[in-house]
Amino acid sequence: MLQINFIRDNSKTVIDKLKVKNFDATNIVEKIIEVDTKRRETQKRLDNNLSESNDLARQIGQLFKTGKKDEAEKIKEHTTELKKINKELHHQLEQYKNEQEQLLIQLPNIPHESVPRGDSEDDNLVINEVGKTPKPEENALPHWEIASKYNLIDFELGNKITGAGFPLYKEKGAKLQRALISFFIDKAIEAGYIEYQIPLLVNEASAFGTGQLPDKDGQMYHIPLDNLYLIPTSEVPLTNIFRDTILNEEDLPIKCTAYSACFRREAGSYGKDVRGLNRLHQFDKVEIVQVVKPENSYKVLDEMVNYVTELISLLELPYRISKLCGGDLGFAAAMTYDINVFSAVQNKWLEVSSISNFEDFQANRIKLRFKNSHGKNILLHTLNGSALALPRLIAAILENNQTIKGLKIPRALVPYTGFDIIK
RNA sequence: GGAGAGAUGGCAGAGUGGUCGAUUGCGGCGGUCUUGAAAACCGUUGAGGUGUAACAGCCUCCGGGGGUUCGAAUCCCUCUCUCUCCGCCA
């Protein structure tokens, strides 16, 4: 959520910058400023009246104590009148506040000035491409066929038990998953992230805090009986750890990580994209989150990108970093880098990580601040990134590493799998 | 699922109608003392809004919402959440 003070003082900038996200904010901003003006006027009037009421109540108290009942009664008449007016003002004020809130949550975050214009994925800026994209052998198989050939993943059984998008991993496939999770968590801890095990269901306030609600309602699985949501990413519980918090400057930066299953309805997805492991309703992911002082957030964003690409290098996969254009940027993000790995047989780049700086957009929603040296409470910046999402990584590993002898396991993973080839 | 208790400032924990934004303790910050530290002692110590060049000032906030009253943390209604015991269960 953008800050009202900022919008008030920079309305033109807000409108201009949101154009990069292909968002026309003209009307909303205009309305916000109108409502804000009314809100403040009403607030002032109410405050003045309340101040007067307080004074009078105190006087009445004194008069009663000294036995001057008649005088007290006279003042009472006036306060009764004030009370009526104040009730009305209070009502109005609440209305303006709600109206303002409703408008504010519709505004996406302002993109960083370096974010390129663009409409879709195709306009993203490829920053760097590392590693050779392998040419598959003639009889090379796509990952879903490899998975079944080596008995690693059973999509059919997943269908039977739950439905499409809920694969069942087994034997060395299951072990490979577990190995990747442990590997990622160990690396994160090594890099200074604190490990958490988080709830997989969150309440409405948490889903709202990180921006899933109201924007992405319908993309989350919802349990109406208890009004809880299955998390689409551990970002939600991890970030909400810090909801309504004022941190000390010396606590920063905060770095945390969690492995979790993630649940996404993926409403509207269909066709080729959902084949095999490409797009699932349930998948595993290790997430990293940082809470940092505003002046450091872009430096930290770069660090996180480097951290993630190092992991991919250790898995010996070719990857590509791209900077999202305005049109592809998420609602809450100011800047995002996507990391894709190359999947040889599908001959496709698969997104395995998305690393974003939200600046103070999330922090403003969840009221996450720190006390600076002057004793002022300042909104912090939040960042998060996948490190990493498993299924597409596994797709790439399976497709890129098939040899006549079997499937080669990346060297860095062998200590975790206990085997270096799947035959 | 049944029965009961509770929700107060960073934490603990008082407060049952009149300067209570709130006693006190701990923690934090500043100071005295000390070569330094600890202890002791003294002082200070929430958030939001409005407003200001910045202060000041004013208003709101004792889980959320509503009500009674000139006046509510304190009384009433309602919602949510937490805890304890019993039942069931990994």
Side-chain angles (χ1 to χ4, degrees):
Chain A
M1 195 159 67
L2 297 176
Q3 294 183 78
I4 179 64
N5 291 348
F6 182 80
I7 298 174
R8 197 188 296 148
D9 300 337
N10 306 279
S11 57
K12 203 173 164 328
T13 317
V14 171
I15 292 169
D16 283 348
K17 286 196 167 181
L18 283 181
K19 280 184 187 150
V20 176
K21 275 195 170 180
N22 299 329
F23 188 95
D24 184 5
T26 321
N27 288 335
I28 297 181
V29 167
E30 206 173 277
K31 254 188 170 168
I32 286 176
I33 290 177
E34 190 187 312
V35 173
D36 179 57
T37 309
K38 283 195 226 162
R39 192 202 99 233
R40 278 150 64 212
E41 275 168 12
T42 311
Q43 177 90 60
K44 260 188 269 183
R45 279 178 62 200
L46 178 62
D47 283 358
N48 285 336
N49 282 359
L50 284 171
S51 179
E52 199 183 339
S53 297
N54 289 344
D55 259 2
L56 295 176
R58 232 165 282 152
Q59 283 179 34
I60 291 170
Q62 282 304 313
L63 290 173
F64 268 118
K65 264 185 198 162
T66 49
K68 299 176 182 165
K69 283 193 179 158
D70 294 347
E71 281 182 53
E73 288 300 331
K74 233 183 258 172
I75 299 178
K76 264 196 196 179
E77 277 173 36
H78 187 42
T79 48
T80 317
E81 205 176 306
L82 268 180
K83 219 175 103 174
K84 240 187 250 170
I85 298 170
N86 287 347
K87 201 168 176 179
E88 185 56 39
L89 284 174
H90 181 253
H91 210 74
Q92 254 178 41
L93 185 62
E94 286 302 306
Q95 248 172 347
Y96 289 141
K97 277 185 180 171
N98 282 338
E99 215 173 309
Q100 184 171 311
E101 176 85 4
Q102 285 310 312
L103 290 166
L104 278 174
I105 60 175
Q106 288 177 43
L107 285 184
N109 198 3
I110 292 170
H112 186 263
E113 57 186 3
S114 71
V115 168
R117 273 179 175 268
D119 296 327
S120 73
E121 217 181 314
D122 305 328
D123 301 316
N124 292 342
L125 217 66
V126 176
I127 303 284
N128 198 3
E129 203 172 300
V130 179
K132 267 196 182 159
T133 55
K135 283 257 163 57
E137 308 274 323
E138 240 175 70
N139 49 357
L141 302 171
H143 70 266
W144 50 89
E145 286 180 28
I146 304 169
S148 104
K149 176 179 170 188
Y150 291 102
N151 201 28
L152 303 176
I153 305 169
D154 197 322
F155 292 98
E156 294 308 312
L157 273 179
N159 286 343
K160 174 185 173 184
I161 298 166
T162 308
F166 292 90
L168 185 82
Y169 301 83
K170 53 185 182 180
E171 300 195 16
K172 287 194 166 135
K175 189 75 186 274
L176 180 59
Q177 288 254 114
R178 196 146 53 85
L180 281 165
I181 294 163
S182 297
F183 172 64
F184 291 148
I185 290 281
D186 283 355
K187 282 289 169 193
I189 292 170
E190 229 171 78
Y193 292 89
I194 307 293
E195 183 186 0
Y196 286 85
Q197 280 201 21
I198 38 106
L200 301 181
L201 285 90
V202 294
N203 57 28
E204 224 177 331
S206 293
F208 181 82
T210 29
Q212 272 70 29
L213 288 179
D215 191 45
K216 290 183 194 153
D217 194 14
Q219 287 299 339
M220 283 184 295
Y221 286 98
H222 181 224
I223 297 167
L225 195 59
D226 300 291
N227 197 22
L228 295 173
Y229 294 86
L230 270 84
I231 57 170
T233 159
S234 32
E235 167 202 346
V236 180
L238 278 181
T239 308
N240 274 285
I241 293 172
F242 306 101
R243 175 149 46 90
D244 294 317
T245 304
I246 299 173
L247 296 165
N248 294 316
E249 198 164 354
E250 59 268 25
D251 298 333
L252 299 163
I254 282 178
K255 302 169 78 174
C256 49
T257 185
Y259 149 73
S260 87
C262 302
F263 304 90
R264 298 186 182 179
R265 294 188 62 232
E266 300 293 354
S269 301
Y270 58 92
K272 229 175 167 186
D273 277 354
V274 305
R275 195 81 195 268
L277 295 173
N278 288 347
R279 176 169 259 115
L280 300 171
H281 288 307
Q282 179 185 325
F283 64 95
D284 290 307
K285 181 158 66 67
V286 172
E287 184 81 3
I288 51 176
V289 168
Q290 289 211 39
V291 177
V292 305
K293 288 204 270 180
E295 63 266 33
N296 297 333
S297 66
Y298 281 95
K299 197 182 79 201
V300 169
L301 181 63
D302 288 342
E303 274 171 30
M304 287 171 76
V305 170
N306 287 336
Y307 170 75
V308 170
T309 53
E310 260 168 49
L311 290 180
I312 299 177
S313 298
L314 284 170
L315 296 175
E316 302 161 37
L317 293 169
Y319 65 85
R320 167 170 111 169
I321 308 172
S322 42
K323 184 168 175 170
L324 297 198
C325 70
D328 205 24
L329 209 54
F331 186 81
M335 199 197 282
T336 297
Y337 290 100
D338 270 5
I339 320 262
N340 295 43
V341 298
F342 191 73
S343 186
V345 181
Q346 295 188 83
N347 191 27
K348 256 199 328 208
W349 290 98
L350 301 178
E351 184 190 329
V352 291
S353 179
S354 189
I355 306 157
S356 304
N357 185 358
F358 301 101
E359 297 191 0
D360 62 11
F361 192 82
Q362 282 183 333
N364 190 35
R365 269 201 186 195
I366 63 177
K367 298 289 170 263
L368 166 55
R369 293 154 292 171
F370 80 105
K371 203 171 273 297
N372 73 5
S373 51
H374 302 293
K376 277 248 189 308
N377 295 328
I378 311 284
L379 288 173
L380 284 158
H381 283 196
T382 57
L383 303 98
N384 68 46
S386 346
L388 288 152
L390 300 214
R392 293 174 186 162
L393 219 47
I394 288 179
I397 290 173
L398 297 189
E399 292 187 10
N400 298 13
N401 294 5
Q402 48 189 324
T403 67
I404 306 163
K405 289 181 178 171
L407 282 173
K408 274 190 316 185
I409 300 296
R411 220 176 324 157
L413 272 186
V414 174
Y416 291 90
T417 54
F419 48 81
D420 58 6
I421 194 157
I422 297 176
K423 293 182 179 172

